[in-house]
Amino acid sequence: MAGFPTTARVVIIGGGAVGVSALYHLAKAGWTDCVLLEKNELTAGSTWHAAGNVPTFSTSWSLMNMQRYSTELYRGLGAAVDYPMNYHVTGSIRLAHTQERMQEFARARSMGRYQGMEIDVLAPSEIRDKYPFIELHDLKGALYDPADGDIDPAQLTQALAKGARDLGATILRFTPATGVSRENGEWVVHTEKGSIRAEFVVNAAGYYAQKVGEWFRPFGGRTVPMMVMSHQYLLSEPIPEIEAWSKAAGHKLPLLRDVDTSYYLRQEKTGFNLGPYERNCRAHWVTPEDPFPEDFSFQLFPDDLDRLETYIEDAMARVPLLGTAGVSKVINGPIPYAPDGNPLLGPMPGVPNAFEACVFTFGIAQAGGAGKVLAEWVTEGATEWDMWSCDPRRFTDYTDRDYCIAKGKEVYGHEYAMHFPWHRWPAGGDKRHSSLHERLKAAGAVFGAYNGWERANWFARPGDDTSEEATQTWNRAGPWEKRIREECEAVRDNCGILAITGFTRLKVEGPGARDFVDGLTASRLPKPGRIGLAYFPDDRGRILTEMSVMVHGPDEVGLITAGVAQWHDAELLSRQAPEGITVSDHSDEVECLLVTGPRAREILAPLTDHDLEAPWLSVSFKGKVAGRDCALVRVSFAGELGWEIHCAMADAPEIWDAVTAAGAKPFGMWALNSLRIEKGYRAWKGDLSTDYSLLEGGLERFVRFDKSQDFPGKAALLAEKQRGVTKRFATLKVEARDCDAPYMSTLWHEGKIVGETTSGGWGYRVGASIALAMLRADLTRPGTEIEVEIYGERRRAVVQEDRPLWDPENVRLRA
């Protein structure tokens, strides 16, 4: 075919709003030798039937960043690319029926203000000033976002396409990709019109993403974790009162969302667009009777209005004008869902030079930001914002078909739900059990899922309320609080035992394995027989991850890292491993029991032949506990005298029985979180993320600039050290009331925003609410008073010395 490109730097598969935005942003970055393939016309998938709402609201920091960027881009896009667009910035009103929802809104307002958005909270009496047709029954208030609005999805996509073409990028419509192959380290993307050789490939195939993802299975890929829901919205006939009001006001009504009931109501021309997210929702293409279609371009599902009846009735009661007009049209189309409702945006797990930009539930609102993020991933290897909330590697191989269907339906039916810190969504549970599961259950464990593994969050006693309803609170108090206190006190005064199932365990082997790992970390590796923390920066000096390292010799290194970091950290190593060095994953083979507290040595002594007098951070690989082979590592994330027992899964029950019979009290992950915050120990993707450099994160003591090997980010860190950091890690004691500071709570000083929290919780050993924070550097002097905004309330906080609040000299750890 004449003019068909046979080479490209990047090939994007999928021509919806997200794929075209990725092409546009790649071209803006100077990568104009890029090609987008679309099987039909642009927007033929979910984009064409999307409602086109463009909110900025989110309680996720990264998603809010992405959506904020979209609104800013869309405002000027038409003029920038010389393409007419219908983008209505109407503002939006989210209604609150409960005090808990008002607390969520206060948190969103705080986050939005930090990002420069004028989000505000309204009292019920203020709502009619912005929306005169509303009934105010049962309302506590509302959240008002002036930047919210709606856009024509087709015009948005075509504007992005024009901008990409004008910059030199290529779009091939009616050119379906049919598969991929790999030759000489390059991708070959096949179509019926020819093949394109490319350095990078992007799966932006929307609800076809799983089908496209299967092409990459032979090259290390996995089945894309997703399913497809049908989403319906109704368009009403024209309403004279709406037409008259809009003409007089000169603009449309704000977009209304009743998030507690679960629908949005938007002015569409001179009528309404009503879109519920119903609990009795429907998944599509999941049964033999409803197979996945070869082509569903520009098609819809049949109307299914019975599912929406209660939502329609509620909306008509809220805005009676809706009931005065008939329905002119029903749109019922497919929307893809990942198990947590967030998109898959970033490196394709296991596959070199391949990326995903797919499974967008709110693709129009997020397309602009997604294009920016994807272009950064491809061209720079890193993103401006830490995007773990969307990273495809956050899901590992527990996300099978049934799990994805169950979670997708749960997320859809609770699209506007509040995500309380103590709450666990029940669908899709029990994916991974350890050999200790029945023992934990018998001891009263209330479980949480960690990379699919069931771990005990806390241990209930008979009569404790373990219902889902009890967890619907932002407050610290609940049936769990007394038990967490007891568990922390047992660790402080006696001895506790915690099963940390699902640690990620990696082994790097081959000639020069130690030197290879050493070249990736800013830290000095420990000597054989010892364990040490190592921090891995990117080229900017920002924190990629933290791993515990054990050097077995020059050709073998063992690493332990967070359970949820499994695929992320494995790829950090494997994608850079030279020929002859292998990275293997042994996470499923080993159980870990943390035995910790001042009586830990006394309890373990009769049960083991390991040397319990070996110093802190020592590792003993050969020995037994309760007659079972295991390794003993003298560390404790709880900050007390303690050991991690690493043993075969099958041997864990015998060891558990012996240690608990000797007096150790079971404790859970929520107690451990309290204990680690008191010690200032950082948590991955909270305190440790690419939003911060190692120096900002207060980790300079782990950075060895005098290492014989260079490491990523060394130059950036040296430059930062010379000029000084602008923000720095700090520990705060907070005069909190009922709620401790959640992640990304805003810090204030003299009326100005000066930082954010990265962790927060109650410290039961020190008797105080604690926040770990990133604070403006000049305010980190101990004794400085600032304010922490917790769900809308500014609470006094005092900066503490740069050392642990509990046992600052680590005397108890080293006992």
Side-chain angles (χ1 to χ4, degrees):
M1 175 182 172
F4 185 86
T6 57
T7 62
R9 203 164 187 186
V10 182
V11 171
I12 299 171
I13 301 171
V18 172
V20 178
S21 178
L23 185 72
Y24 174 68
H25 283 85
L26 284 166
K28 282 190 68 176
W31 285 39
T32 57
D33 183 16
C34 299
V35 175
L36 182 144
L37 302 175
E38 166 53 44
K39 69 185 300 181
N40 197 284
E41 179 59 87
L42 296 182
T43 77
S46 294
T47 297
W48 84 272
H49 63 76
N53 299 330
V54 187
T56 62
F57 174 90
S58 179
T59 52
S60 162
W61 183 255
S62 52
L63 288 177
M64 181 177 275
N65 260 321
M66 197 160 65
Q67 292 172 182
R68 172 187 53 79
Y69 175 87
S70 291
T71 64
E72 294 168 354
L73 172 70
Y74 299 166
R75 283 176 183 269
L77 182 62
V81 302
D82 191 24
Y83 191 91
M85 289 173 53
N86 288 322
Y87 180 33
H88 307 108
V89 181
T90 62
S92 72
I93 298 171
R94 290 175 183 259
L95 304 178
H97 294 246
T98 65
Q99 183 57 39
E100 288 78 15
R101 183 68 77 174
M102 289 297 287
Q103 288 177 273
E104 180 196 51
F105 286 172
R107 171 162 162 71
R109 175 183 61 184
S110 178
M111 292 171 61
R113 293 287 176 89
Y114 197 151
Q115 293 192 17
M117 297 183 289
E118 294 300 317
I119 296 175
D120 205 359
V121 173
L122 306 178
S125 60
E126 299 174 294
I127 298 174
R128 275 210 183 104
D129 293 340
K130 300 185 182 296
Y131 204 103
F133 305 111
I134 193 171
E135 297 297 317
L136 300 174
H137 55 274
D138 302 329
L139 296 182
K140 298 292 186 183
L143 183 75
Y144 178 66
D145 178 2
D148 207 329
D150 61 89
I151 197 166
D152 184 304
Q155 290 180 346
L156 168 64
T157 307
Q158 295 295 348
L160 291 165
K162 183 178 185 298
R165 289 189 186 104
D166 289 348
L167 290 167
T170 300
I171 296 175
L172 300 178
R173 299 172 300 138
F174 304 102
T175 310
T178 57
V180 299
S181 58
R182 194 149 173 81
E183 298 176 5
N184 300 321
E186 293 180 318
W187 289 107
V188 181
V189 182
H190 304 289
T191 79
E192 294 177 355
K193 300 177 181 179
S195 297
I196 306 173
R197 187 176 293 269
E199 185 179 352
F200 299 96
V201 180
V202 179
N203 180 357
Y207 51 72
Y208 285 97
Q210 192 172 83
K211 181 178 179 180
V212 170
E214 291 301 299
W215 301 342
F216 294 89
R217 291 288 296 273
F219 309 103
R222 87 301 184 214
T223 297
V224 174
M226 62 172 288
M227 52 84 72
V228 176
M229 296 296 302
S230 66
H231 175 61
Q232 296 185 91
Y233 60 89
L234 319 174
L235 301 179
S236 80
E237 295 173 342
I239 300 173
E241 291 88 341
I242 298 296
E243 181 178 14
W245 185 90
S246 297
K247 187 176 293 185
H251 57 80
K252 293 169 62 176
L253 284 165
L255 196 157
L256 190 71
R257 293 183 180 87
D258 194 326
V259 289
D260 289 318
T261 305
S262 193
Y263 62 81
Y264 61 82
L265 184 67
R266 189 185 89 199
Q267 182 179 337
E268 186 75 24
K269 295 182 180 178
T270 59
F272 282 118
N273 174 335
L274 172 64
Y277 290 93
E278 70 277 14
R279 297 287 171 86
N280 56 327
C281 51
R282 183 178 175 187
H284 271 276
W285 307 329
V286 296
T287 65
E289 296 77 28
D290 184 24
F292 193 88
E294 184 62 32
D295 189 357
F296 203 72
S297 300
F298 296 113
Q299 296 183 54
L300 295 172
F301 302 123
D303 301 351
D304 192 7
L305 292 180
D306 290 346
R307 298 185 346 225
L308 308 185
E309 183 177 353
T310 59
Y311 301 90
I312 296 171
E313 291 174 353
D314 190 278
M316 289 192 298
R318 181 65 59 196
V319 182
L321 272 181
L322 178 63
T324 66
V327 175
S328 67
K329 193 173 185 179
V330 178
I331 307 295
N332 186 13
I335 300 180
Y337 268 76
D340 61 1
N342 290 352
L344 303 177
L345 180 62
M348 185 182 295
V351 184
N353 286 3
F355 292 82
E356 292 176 340
C358 54
V359 198
F360 280 76
T361 299
F362 295 99
I364 304 306
Q366 296 169 355
K372 164 187 156 59
V373 168
L374 190 281
E376 291 169 348
W377 267 124
V378 174
T379 63
E380 302 174 31
T383 54
E384 177 184 356
W385 315 307
D386 189 288
M387 292 303 300
W388 181 246
S389 65
C390 301
D391 195 309
R393 296 168 294 185
R394 71 189 186 275
F395 298 117
T396 59
D397 55 6
Y398 65 92
T399 55
D400 59 21
R401 175 182 176 277
D402 290 345
Y403 178 87
C404 290
I405 293 170
K407 296 304 287 186
K409 292 180 69 174
E410 181 179 64
V411 172
Y412 182 94
H414 299 84
E415 189 62 69
Y416 295 131
M418 292 173 278
H419 294 271
F420 296 106
W422 312 103
H423 177 244
R424 176 182 181 175
W425 293 101
D430 291 329
K431 294 306 296 183
R432 290 174 165 172
H433 285 181
S434 76
S435 57
L436 293 168
H437 188 77
E438 292 305 316
R439 282 168 169 78
L440 297 173
K441 193 174 178 180
V446 180
F447 292 99
Y450 298 79
N451 194 28
W453 289 100
E454 297 289 309
R455 292 183 189 169
N457 279 334
W458 63 288
F459 287 86
R461 292 188 180 180
D464 286 346
D465 184 357
T466 59
S467 68
E468 187 178 357
E469 290 74 23
T471 67
Q472 309 289 309
T473 179
W474 307 109
N475 292 357
R476 182 187 319 113
W480 51 83
E481 186 186 19
K482 183 178 181 181
R483 305 302 171 221
I484 294 172
R485 178 185 297 275
E486 291 170 351
E487 292 170 21
C488 291
E489 290 173 347
V491 171
R492 179 194 67 191
D493 301 332
N494 194 333
C495 181
I497 181 170
L498 169 67
I500 317 179
T501 306
F503 261 145
T504 296
R505 301 168 186 278
L506 306 171
K507 188 178 291 186
V508 181
E509 298 173 285
R514 184 201 178 281
D515 289 341
F516 163 65
V517 174
D518 192 34
L520 297 178
T521 174
S523 306
R524 181 166 287 126
L525 299 188
K527 296 178 180 178
R530 304 279 289 171
I531 191 170
L533 281 179
Y535 289 91
F536 293 76
D538 63 15
D539 290 337
R540 303 166 297 179
R542 298 192 187 185
I543 308 166
L544 284 174
T545 195
E546 167 199 85
M547 299 194 216
S548 296
V549 182
M550 292 169 286
V551 176
H552 303 291
D555 301 332
E556 182 181 346
V557 178
L559 302 108
I560 300 176
T561 183
V564 293
Q566 184 177 9
W567 282 7
H568 177 281
D569 285 4
E571 289 197 354
L572 172 65
L573 299 166
S574 62
R575 290 197 178 196
Q576 301 179 76
E579 187 174 353
I581 289 181
T582 61
V583 179
S584 55
D585 190 320
H586 304 268
S587 303
D588 293 350
E589 302 168 11
V590 182
E591 179 62 276
C592 175
L593 298 174
L594 172 60
V595 180
T596 184
R599 291 191 60 228
R601 182 179 284 115
E602 175 187 338
I603 283 176
L604 285 173
L607 305 175
T608 185
D609 57 357
H610 283 281
D611 180 8
L612 298 180
E613 298 301 327
W616 183 45
L617 301 180
S618 61
V619 182
S620 174
F621 291 104
K622 293 183 179 181
K624 296 180 184 294
V625 172
R628 301 289 177 164
D629 291 333
C630 62
L632 215 59
V633 183
R634 191 173 167 186
V635 292
S636 172
F637 202 50
E640 299 285 350
L641 172 68
W643 286 264
E644 288 179 358
I645 303 172
H646 298 261
C647 62
M649 281 279 192
D651 292 335
E654 292 281 349
I655 297 173
W656 174 275
D657 290 346
V659 175
T660 54
K665 176 184 175 66
F667 70 105
M669 296 298 296
W670 288 352
L672 182 66
N673 187 59
S674 169
L675 297 165
R676 69 97 187 167
I677 286 176
E678 291 176 307
K679 292 294 291 183
Y681 295 159
R682 279 62 154 177
W684 194 69
K685 290 306 178 186
D687 315 296
L688 303 171
S689 80
T690 57
D691 284 331
Y692 310 117
S693 74
L694 288 172
L695 301 186
E696 288 175 328
L699 301 170
E700 188 168 358
R701 67 187 183 279
F702 294 98
V703 178
R704 298 293 183 260
F705 289 111
D706 60 348
K707 283 175 54 171
S708 58
Q709 286 205 74
D710 279 342
F711 55 85
K714 181 177 180 179
L717 289 168
L718 283 170
E720 184 180 35
K721 184 177 181 181
Q722 185 173 13
R723 68 176 179 267
V725 296
T726 58
K727 61 168 61 174
R728 182 179 290 124
F729 180 86
T731 300
L732 311 174
K733 277 191 177 180
V734 187
E735 293 180 0
R737 291 181 179 169
D738 298 330
C739 307
D740 301 307
Y743 172 69
M744 283 294 168
S745 296
T746 303
L747 306 181
W748 296 84
H749 180 70
E750 297 180 347
K752 294 181 180 179
I753 294 174
V754 294
E756 68 275 358
T757 63
T758 55
S759 290
W762 188 268
Y764 292 94
R765 290 178 296 192
V766 301
S769 183
I770 305 166
L772 307 184
M774 296 300 298
L775 180 61
R776 202 176 73 194
D778 62 301
L779 298 174
T780 56
R781 182 173 53 84
T784 302
E785 294 186 12
I786 62 169
E787 293 176 303
V788 181
E789 187 170 351
I790 303 175
Y791 301 113
E793 288 190 354
R794 296 191 193 180
R795 308 300 304 161
R796 178 177 175 270
V798 179
V799 177
Q800 304 299 300
E801 292 188 48
D802 186 18
R803 61 179 193 167
L805 293 179
W806 176 252
D807 187 26
E809 303 300 329
N810 290 328
V811 173
R812 297 168 72 94
L813 272 173
R814 299 172 185 270

